[in-house]
Amino acid sequence: MEDSRTNILHSRVLLIATTITAAFVAVIGGAMLYASYQAIIEGRPNLASNIATVANGVTSIGVVVLTLVYVIYTYGLVRSSNNARKEEKRREKEKEKRSKENLRKALYSEITAVNGIERAEGRGANAAIPTDFFPTNVYEPNADKLGSLTEEEAEKIVQYYTAVDSLDSWLEMARSYDLDNPEKVDDMINYYIKTTSVNKRIVVNVLKDNMEDTTEKQRNQTSNDINKQEYSKERQIQ
């Protein structure tokens, strides 16, 4: 906003300077041409020649001044345009940075909201994990934006949610069907519980390490707050 006002002020000043210079040249030039004409009529050619020379000099000076004003004005426009482009790029980068950080924090909060999964290890279908135990409200609509994060973050996030999806599928199978080989199902559930637990710890650490403008104390406080809110879920895995 300040740059815009400054540019408008400069434009007005240059326009006034150009107008005054042009008017001055026109008035002086016209006056000298008239004086030269009068000198010729009066039979004084030398005086007329001198006046004409001075008039040409004044006109030349006026042209130089006008050219200088035009150059300064053009330079100001170019610089203003460059500054505007730089500012636009800076804002785009800042917007992209904020969007990336918001996504990172949202995923961090969603993943750390899952508590107590470690207690289900080794219990197979008897772990009694609720169907809505693993939230995916952030991940699913933003899966196509993971490329904005680091390659390591995207990889670990996908690994975690893939393990979650597989675990949910096996748990649903254990709940919905009479199984001929329940031991195999228990083995697969235990495998994905372990995999999910490990992937959770890894992805939480990776996201935490990449968070910006957040102190370790604030991160721990955020995690603690989420733990308290999700305590009821943890108690369901006993």
Side-chain angles (χ1 to χ4, degrees):
M1 181 64 70
E2 188 66 27
D3 288 342
S4 177
R5 292 177 179 176
T6 301
N7 291 334
I8 292 175
L9 178 61
H10 287 172
S11 298
R12 290 177 177 176
V13 170
L14 289 172
L15 178 60
I16 293 172
T18 302
T19 302
I20 292 175
T21 303
F24 175 77
V25 170
V27 170
I28 298 300
M32 288 189 172
L33 287 176
Y34 178 76
S36 177
Y37 174 74
Q38 287 295 111
I40 292 174
I41 293 177
E42 294 174 1
R44 294 184 291 178
N46 291 335
L47 177 60
S49 177
N50 292 335
I51 294 175
T53 301
V54 173
N56 288 334
V58 171
T59 303
S60 298
I61 293 174
V63 171
V64 171
V65 171
L66 289 174
T67 302
L68 181 61
V69 170
Y70 174 78
V71 170
I72 294 174
Y73 180 68
T74 302
Y75 172 77
L77 289 178
V78 172
R79 187 175 68 172
S80 176
S81 178
N82 290 337
N83 289 340
R85 283 196 294 269
K86 289 179 181 179
E87 179 63 18
E88 183 178 359
K89 289 182 179 179
R90 186 193 67 78
R91 290 179 180 176
E92 289 178 356
K93 289 182 179 179
E94 187 64 26
K95 181 180 178 180
E96 181 181 348
K97 180 180 178 181
R98 287 197 304 268
S99 177
K100 183 190 303 183
E101 188 65 10
N102 289 337
L103 176 59
R104 180 178 288 121
K105 290 180 178 179
L107 286 167
Y108 177 84
S109 297
E110 180 169 86
I111 295 171
T112 54
V114 177
N115 299 291
I117 185 63
E118 298 82 1
R119 299 187 181 187
E121 292 181 14
R123 299 168 66 176
N126 294 324
I129 299 175
T131 55
D132 60 345
F133 187 73
F134 300 101
T136 58
N137 295 331
V138 175
Y139 171 74
E140 289 182 352
N142 292 288
D144 60 334
K145 299 177 184 177
L146 296 182
S148 65
L149 303 177
T150 67
E151 183 177 347
E152 182 184 24
E153 286 177 305
E155 178 185 356
K156 301 307 178 185
I157 290 168
V158 170
Q159 287 178 353
Y160 167 76
Y161 283 101
T162 299
V164 165
D165 184 64
S166 298
L167 177 55
D168 279 340
S169 297
W170 281 101
L171 288 170
E172 180 62 25
M173 183 183 299
R175 296 187 196 101
S176 305
Y177 302 98
D178 293 328
L179 303 172
D180 296 331
N181 191 353
E183 292 81 7
K184 179 179 179 180
V185 174
D186 280 347
D187 289 342
M188 295 303 298
I189 290 175
N190 286 332
Y191 169 77
Y192 282 111
I193 288 175
K194 179 68 174 178
T195 302
T196 300
S197 177
V198 171
N199 286 340
K200 177 197 167 185
R201 289 195 295 270
I202 293 173
V203 72
V204 165
N205 288 332
V206 170
L207 289 172
K208 187 190 298 183
D209 290 341
N210 285 281
M211 284 186 185
E212 298 179 0
D213 303 326
T214 306
T215 65
E216 188 67 25
K217 182 178 179 180
Q218 290 173 320
R219 293 171 190 166
N220 291 337
Q221 183 61 45
T222 299
S223 181
N224 290 336
D225 291 343
I226 293 171
N227 289 344
K228 293 176 182 178
Q229 296 170 4
E230 297 295 326
Y231 182 66
S232 59
K233 285 187 177 182
E234 182 176 351
R235 288 184 59 84
Q236 295 181 57
I237 304 179
Q238 298 294 341

